[in-house]
Amino acid sequence: MYYTMKTKKEIKKKEKKPKKEAKAKHMKKKFDNFFLDFEKRWQAEWREKGIFKAVPKGKKFYCLEMFPYPSGKIHMGHVRNYTIGDAIARFKRMQGFSVLYPMGFDAFGLPAENAAIARGLKPDEWTEKNVIEMIENLRALGLSYDWDRKIVTYEPDYYKWEQLFFLRFLKAGLAYKEKSSVNYCKKCDTVLANEQVLNDKCWRCGTQVEEKDLEQWFFRTTKYSDELINGLEKLDWPERVKIMQRNWIGKSFGSEIVFPVKDSDLLIKVFTTRIDTLFGCTFIALSPELNIVAELTTQDREKEVRAYLAKIVKKTMKEREEKGKTGCFIGSYAINPVNGKEVPIFIAEYVLPEYGTGAIMCVPSHDARDYDFAKKHELEIIKVIKPVKEENVEVFVDDGILIESGKFSGMTSEKARIEITKFLEKSKKALFIVNYKLKDWLLSRQRYWGCPIPIIYCKKCGMVPVPEKELPVLLPPSDSVEFGKGNPLLTNREWLFVRCPQCNSEATRETDTMDTFVDSSWYFLRYCSAKEHSNPFNSEIDFWMPVDFYIGGIEHATGHLIYSRFFTKALSNTGFINKKLREPFSRLVCQGMVLSKGEVMSKSKGNVVAPDEIIEKYGADALRLYHSSVSLPESELEWNDKGMEGSFNFLLRFHRLLTKTKSDKSIKEIDIYITNELQLLIKKFTENVEALKLSIALSDLFSFIDKFSAYRKYISENVAKNISDTLILLLTPFIPHLCEELWHMNHKTFASLEKWPVAKNYDKDVAEDLGRIEKLSEDVGKILNITGKKASKIYIYCVPSDFDFYKKFIDLIAELLHAEIFVYSVTSKGKYDPQGKAGKTKLGKPAIYIE
RNA sequence: GCGGGAGUGCCGGAGUGGCCAAACGGGCGUGGCUCAAGACCACGUGGCUUAGUGCCUACAUAGGUUCGAUCCCUAUCUCCCGCACCA
């Protein structure tokens, strides 16, 4: 009978009985609340003693998390965000910084109002209930906030300042009202800012937005377009956020060119970044929305133009963008100022009314869109740019060398852009211009649950600002308005009708309220002086600002994080805060999402893991540890029940190691070694936390604990105590409750307020010596494991230069290996290696023989 | 289409020129512990090999730079994210 060769392992596997069950027998006992008990106790203790109060003194550190919308219970995303923030706040506090670490609630907003309509609740009651519940949730996590600085944005004490800012911005020309085409969400029954429209849909409910011509309030964010771009350079922010903001602001350098219209006094201005292609311009395209379209339309084309416009009106912006390149000749011709060429004027759906001048010069030879349009409408295509290298493309859109361009032929595109503009500038036909995609911030909302805009409309005086001393304009009580019938503020006549502050005649209030993003654009400033009642800010702001560490989700990259930067600049310019304070957040970190089963946790996907349930089962420390040890803050975090249990088991192990183990017999060399290793741990751990590599810091610490645990019985009590204390302190930012509990057993103080451990010198030689001995015992262990022997005598054959080393540590080795040790120099190997088996080794490693 | 990022073991995820067959955690396997138990401890977990060891093949794929690459460069493929007719 033939048989196939099997590896040792396979044979071994087969021989073994198929046992199991032993493990499965462990019945899950009910959690006995050991951890929960002291977690609650310490939370109460911290609160009673007020140990996390922020006091402006010495070196400061402002640690901030994006405050939550009070939707009810906190979710895993919050836990992740705040666990990281709290670890940093605690770490800095222990390093001796005065730390401002506040929390508040972004309490105004549509969901509260919609809940009111849907469930027959009042927005204020609903919100208040949620705030209370969330505070409880946050407390149960053991976060070290200074709750005295809590902000809730629906409180008049908060929003009255917002109204004051609005009035001053209005005076400074930073706020204005204007009629324009705006995005309107039917479902939310309000207009939306540009930033709140995603792919033509409402960011909140996903409804297709409509365009409406309405009179709306705006903040002049575009005033700071340049500063918003340039300021990014100095900020310690994730590069991707900076890129998103740069793209959003969309600065581009180009030229504005004037095209006179043939047989007319009218002029058409176009914006282009490619004036170098001007000689290739074969038509002009206007946005159908432009006013001059009517004037430029000739009689013979009127019918077609009307028909075309009627067709366009029916399309949404999105459809226009997707469908492509329809257009219509309107009869007039424009004159190219550089060569006098007459070119036809079209209206075309792909020309955006709001960017540049709403009119473009079209060069089908060097622009893909113009090319498509020209093909469709059979227009002339003239090549005026030659590629530097031969290239075989239909439409060459890159820079190259000019041809067929009069005296500019032969120039590079780059040079020609300057020269052509300069040339036309002389006759006032062109100028250099910078264009931005950023638009002003539409801040008014036609809803109830927001900060009222402090304006009054008088029949005689027109628009009148509410006098500052009459602020705040309070939101009328929620039971005095009607919901679900348009803007609820219109339904309360008592609130709506007022006297004009100037002439006392009949007047009405502005019924629009402010976008909730206004509330979140300055809350970080208010934390600095949350208890100040006579002014929005006091001198503490100069101490705490700017925020040193800001953590939150990436979704705010082009919304909140631009608005806040705008607001800081505007407040600085209107004198509310220091002139020099131009940027609110020095360092920004965007934490990754929390995933479950490969997808973002969300109710609709049904993969939500509720933090409060986890806390009930394992305690807050275990949950916090899981969040900080499983992946780096900026990466995504995959939820894993087993991993969660692993974090919990670590707490058990750590607790046991520090409270239940004792030494049998102390060995001096081990004491020295482990103390030395501790120094390395402190150094690396501190560096890693500083660099926000929390999971790496913790994995180093876990390794150290394994080692500490392995040697524990040889470590003298006073050394072990020192190590334990250090470990407790290092872990305090991560698992504060357990650390506080363990610390309390031997000290009267709070671990949370102790000094962060400082590393002493690390001795490499000490580590190397012990490392060699560890390697030796590892080898011995392997041999014993395989042979099943018990070591009674161990022979070590080493090179002559190592002889002294092993001789020196012979007692330690004997102790660790529980055997009699014999050390021989390898020169006499043959003589002392009776079995001839111990000689197979490489330089530097001793040969071992075990009896 | 443009811009950004990433591809490492059964899984999550470190490492970013040699100390790496690869931290730490999870899973799995083998053995120990048989009342400190909600567990714990030891060893193993690419292939072959040895009483400890050594060798080979690996860090998406294909090339290149280098004495030497998971790490640098080039191309390709895949995935994720942001913007999207911005003139």
Side-chain angles (χ1 to χ4, degrees):
Chain A
M1 189 69 191
Y2 295 97
Y3 61 90
T4 49
M5 291 288 282
K6 282 193 173 135
T7 63
K8 269 188 188 175
K9 223 173 272 166
E10 280 171 321
I11 293 164
K12 218 172 158 188
K13 209 183 223 172
K14 222 174 177 185
E15 283 166 357
K16 291 293 164 196
K17 59 204 165 178
K19 72 126 224 179
K20 244 279 136 85
E21 293 127 49
K23 249 185 183 172
K25 268 188 187 170
H26 293 297
M27 294 285 288
K28 288 262 171 188
K29 261 198 190 173
K30 220 191 153 202
F31 185 59
D32 68 7
N33 281 341
F34 168 61
F35 283 89
L36 270 193
D37 276 353
F38 69 69
E39 285 191 354
K40 290 223 177 76
R41 210 169 65 235
W42 285 108
Q43 284 157 17
E45 191 84 354
W46 293 330
R47 194 175 164 186
E48 278 161 31
K49 300 273 161 53
I51 68 167
F52 299 126
K53 231 180 216 332
V55 181
K57 207 177 112 190
K59 318 178 273 184
K60 70 99 181 180
F61 190 85
Y62 188 171
C63 181
L64 183 71
E65 292 146 1
M66 291 180 187
F67 68 163
Y69 172 77
S71 54
K73 284 182 179 171
I74 59 169
H75 58 247
M76 277 301 171
H78 291 126
V79 174
R80 180 150 206 227
N81 193 170
Y82 307 150
T83 295
I84 297 163
D86 189 51
I88 296 303
R90 287 173 174 272
F91 170 64
K92 286 289 169 185
R93 209 178 278 123
M94 290 174 79
Q95 279 192 324
F97 288 85
S98 283
V99 173
L100 174 56
Y101 182 50
M103 181 42 86
F105 298 91
D106 192 11
F108 269 140
L110 265 177
E113 201 169 328
N114 290 341
I117 295 166
R119 306 173 209 186
L121 297 167
K122 287 169 191 148
D124 43 353
E125 284 169 5
W126 190 74
T127 309
E128 205 180 328
K129 178 187 124 298
N130 287 346
V131 166
I132 290 166
E133 192 172 350
M134 281 185 101
I135 290 177
E136 257 170 48
N137 278 206
L138 293 170
R139 281 224 165 90
L141 270 176
L143 303 166
S144 62
Y145 298 126
D146 176 358
W147 281 109
D148 287 352
R149 292 172 186 261
K150 181 186 75 181
I151 286 170
V152 184
T153 58
Y154 71 63
E155 289 173 353
D157 189 47
Y158 183 79
Y159 71 69
K160 73 177 173 194
W161 303 119
E162 203 162 295
Q163 294 176 338
L164 178 66
F165 301 152
F166 178 89
L167 293 177
R168 298 281 178 90
F169 285 5
L170 189 64
K171 222 181 260 177
L174 288 164
Y176 64 93
K177 196 174 192 190
E178 196 178 78
K179 187 167 183 169
S180 71
S181 170
V182 296
N183 301 302
Y184 192 87
C185 173
K186 218 177 183 174
K187 191 167 172 206
C188 294
D189 217 352
T190 184
V191 297
L192 298 169
N194 226 18
E195 289 77 8
Q196 293 162 349
V197 181
L198 307 169
N199 271 334
D200 232 28
K201 300 212 168 76
C202 172
W203 69 303
R204 217 187 262 291
C205 66
T207 306
Q208 186 85 24
V209 300
E210 296 169 16
E211 280 168 65
K212 280 197 175 183
D213 272 338
L214 290 170
E215 231 190 328
Q216 294 292 321
W217 287 99
F218 292 88
F219 280 140
R220 209 177 293 281
T221 41
T222 52
K223 185 184 170 186
Y224 299 104
S225 299
D226 254 328
E227 200 188 337
L228 286 169
I229 285 189
N230 298 335
L232 288 171
E233 243 168 79
K234 283 169 278 165
L235 298 178
D236 180 10
W237 283 24
E239 205 48 44
R240 58 180 176 150
V241 175
K242 292 191 188 185
I243 289 166
M244 278 190 231
Q245 291 209 352
R246 276 191 207 108
N247 290 343
W248 188 263
I249 297 162
K251 184 177 187 174
S252 55
F253 297 91
S255 314
E256 195 171 277
I257 310 169
V258 179
F259 280 72
V261 177
K262 189 187 170 194
D263 304 325
S264 161
D265 296 334
L266 291 169
L267 300 170
I268 296 172
K269 282 183 184 173
V270 305
F271 171 72
T272 178
T273 55
R274 292 298 305 273
I275 196 170
D276 52 311
T277 63
L278 183 56
F279 283 84
C281 171
T282 53
F283 61 101
I284 294 287
L286 308 179
S287 166
E289 281 84 351
L290 286 199
N291 293 330
I292 52 168
V293 170
E295 290 178 69
L296 291 174
T297 304
T298 54
Q299 254 177 3
D300 56 318
R301 297 294 302 163
E302 208 176 313
K303 207 175 141 200
E304 283 85 349
V305 171
R306 273 183 198 284
Y308 181 73
L309 286 175
K311 219 165 68 189
I312 285 296
V313 165
K314 283 192 202 136
K315 290 188 178 183
T316 65
M317 236 3 176
K318 183 81 186 166
E319 280 170 337
R320 273 168 64 175
E321 282 170 12
E322 277 165 0
K323 286 279 151 53
K325 303 290 173 286
T326 70
C328 180
F329 177 52
I330 61 173
S332 301
Y333 289 83
I335 298 160
N336 187 338
V338 82
N339 59 7
K341 186 179 166 73
E342 291 176 12
V343 294
I345 302 172
F346 282 75
I347 49 177
E349 61 178 332
Y350 73 97
V351 182
L352 304 172
E354 73 272 18
Y355 184 77
T357 59
I360 59 173
M361 66 172 218
C362 299
V363 186
S365 51
H366 303 294
D367 182 287
R369 295 156 297 175
D370 297 347
Y371 179 81
D372 290 345
F373 192 89
K375 277 281 174 193
K376 196 164 176 174
H377 298 267
E378 293 171 353
L379 295 158
E380 199 181 356
I381 297 171
I382 305 170
K383 285 193 181 170
V384 292
I385 305 286
K386 190 179 76 185
V388 177
K389 277 185 219 157
E390 242 358 274
E391 260 185 79
N392 197 14
V393 285
E394 221 174 336
V395 190
F396 179 72
V397 296
D398 296 329
D399 282 3
I401 307 292
L402 272 70
I403 52 172
E404 311 284 331
S405 297
K407 62 176 177 175
F408 304 101
S409 296
M411 283 185 190
T412 60
S413 290
E414 204 179 342
K415 187 166 185 225
R417 284 197 279 270
I418 295 164
E419 294 306 322
I420 296 177
T421 309
K422 272 187 181 167
F423 170 74
L424 290 175
E425 216 171 16
K426 283 181 212 150
S427 54
K428 297 218 162 39
K429 289 278 165 51
L431 69 156
F432 292 102
I433 202 163
V434 180
N435 230 312
Y436 300 91
K437 284 197 266 179
L438 184 75
K439 293 184 202 167
D440 283 337
W441 174 11
L442 198 174
L443 71 109
S444 41
R445 298 288 177 276
Q446 291 72 48
R447 299 300 295 246
Y448 166 77
W449 195 231
C451 172
I453 293 174
I455 293 290
I456 287 168
Y457 299 101
C458 169
K459 278 178 187 158
K460 285 187 189 156
C461 314
M463 189 179 91
V464 182
V466 173
E468 288 182 10
K469 60 177 186 301
E470 286 176 25
L471 296 181
V473 175
L474 290 173
L475 207 54
S478 56
D479 53 11
S480 68
V481 297
E482 273 185 74
F483 291 100
K485 295 175 183 171
N487 189 337
L489 289 176
L490 286 164
T491 65
N492 182 332
R493 299 176 61 82
E494 216 172 297
W495 182 85
L496 183 63
F497 293 104
V498 287
R499 289 279 161 190
C500 171
Q502 281 174 12
C503 70
N504 206 35
S505 43
E506 281 179 16
T508 56
R509 288 196 187 280
E510 169 65 81
T511 55
D512 283 359
T513 54
M514 296 190 210
D515 182 3
T516 43
F517 277 104
V518 181
D519 311 333
S520 57
S521 289
W522 66 283
Y523 75 107
F524 45 90
L525 297 168
R526 180 65 181 167
Y527 279 140
C528 298
S529 52
K531 287 280 174 72
E532 174 67 54
H533 296 299
S534 46
N535 284 295
F537 312 119
N538 61 26
S539 60
E540 262 195 69
I541 199 171
D542 293 325
F543 180 80
W544 296 114
M545 285 299 290
V547 174
D548 297 282
F549 183 82
Y550 193 29
I551 177 160
I554 186 80
E555 67 273 19
H556 292 108
T558 52
H560 163 64
L561 288 167
I562 287 183
Y563 295 143
S564 297
R565 295 180 64 217
F566 158 76
F567 232 81
T568 302
K569 293 172 205 308
L571 288 173
S572 165
N573 278 7
T574 45
F576 282 106
I577 59 174
N578 198 312
K579 247 192 215 133
K580 286 181 195 148
L581 182 56
R582 306 298 291 184
E583 290 290 345
F585 316 124
S586 303
R587 184 178 178 199
L588 173 75
V589 171
C590 294
Q591 91 276 5
M593 304 244 149
V594 182
L595 309 179
S596 172
K597 291 167 192 154
E599 290 186 292
V600 177
M601 269 193 198
S602 73
K603 273 185 202 152
S604 58
K605 298 212 172 82
N607 58 355
V608 173
V609 180
D612 49 351
E613 283 167 25
I614 299 294
I615 291 176
E616 201 176 311
K617 199 165 170 198
Y618 300 106
D621 278 348
L623 179 59
R624 293 174 56 129
L625 186 66
Y626 179 76
H627 274 276
S628 20
S629 66
V630 139
S631 72
L632 289 170
E634 308 214 41
S635 328
E636 283 169 354
L637 178 137
E638 176 82 32
W639 183 262
N640 179 312
D641 292 329
K642 290 285 185 184
M644 182 61 233
E645 231 164 283
S647 293
F648 178 66
N649 289 340
F650 171 81
L651 299 185
L652 294 175
R653 211 178 321 150
F654 185 59
H655 182 259
R656 189 170 343 109
L657 178 63
L658 264 55
T659 56
K660 301 246 170 85
T661 51
K662 292 225 159 49
S663 70
D664 293 346
K665 177 182 187 181
S666 71
I667 300 176
K668 200 182 73 201
E669 287 91 347
I670 299 289
D671 278 350
I672 294 170
Y673 168 71
I674 198 79
T675 306
N676 190 47
E677 287 301 300
L678 182 70
Q679 305 316 312
L680 184 63
L681 174 73
I682 296 171
K683 183 169 175 282
K684 283 173 73 183
F685 194 87
T686 309
E687 285 169 0
N688 279 326
V689 174
E690 199 86 54
L692 215 65
K693 295 183 175 179
L694 307 184
S695 53
I696 299 166
L698 287 167
S699 76
D700 285 346
L701 186 135
F702 295 160
S703 306
F704 176 84
I705 284 182
D706 276 353
K707 199 162 272 187
F708 178 46
S709 172
Y711 285 125
R712 184 60 184 85
K713 58 181 173 180
Y714 300 120
I715 298 170
S716 59
E717 285 311 310
N718 63 329
V719 170
K721 187 171 172 301
N722 177 40
I723 292 169
S724 302
D725 278 357
T726 307
L727 290 174
I728 292 169
L729 295 178
L730 293 180
L731 282 170
T732 296
F734 303 93
I735 47 171
H737 308 89
L738 178 59
C739 288
E740 207 69 85
E741 180 74 9
L742 289 166
W743 185 258
H744 185 68
M745 289 172 183
N746 293 311
H747 305 84
K748 294 264 184 284
T749 53
F750 285 101
S752 303
L753 297 180
E754 282 297 310
K755 286 266 167 304
W756 189 254
V758 176
K760 298 195 190 80
N761 272 347
Y762 176 69
D763 189 336
K764 256 193 175 159
D765 294 343
V766 169
E768 255 170 45
D769 286 355
L770 230 291
R772 290 171 77 176
I773 291 164
E774 270 180 350
K775 201 84 192 145
L776 181 82
S777 28
E778 207 175 275
D779 287 352
V780 171
K782 278 180 185 168
I783 297 169
L784 297 179
N785 211 35
I786 289 164
T787 58
K789 279 187 186 177
K790 278 230 163 188
S792 57
K793 289 178 181 171
I794 297 172
Y795 301 87
I796 298 170
Y797 305 95
C798 64
V799 293
S801 55
D802 283 348
F803 185 71
D804 288 344
F805 172 80
Y806 288 105
K807 209 70 192 165
K808 184 181 162 195
F809 288 106
I810 194 161
D811 292 341
L812 173 62
I813 298 168
E815 179 61 42
L816 291 175
L817 298 178
H818 311 292
E820 212 177 331
I821 308 295
F822 302 92
V823 181
Y824 302 107
S825 178
V826 93
T827 43
S828 48
K829 181 181 93 188
K831 199 174 166 189
Y832 295 106
D833 181 10
Q835 308 294 313
K837 291 196 81 176
K840 290 181 274 172
T841 180
K842 274 213 161 173
L843 223 65
K845 271 200 98 179
I848 308 161
Y849 181 65
I850 297 169
E851 267 181 14

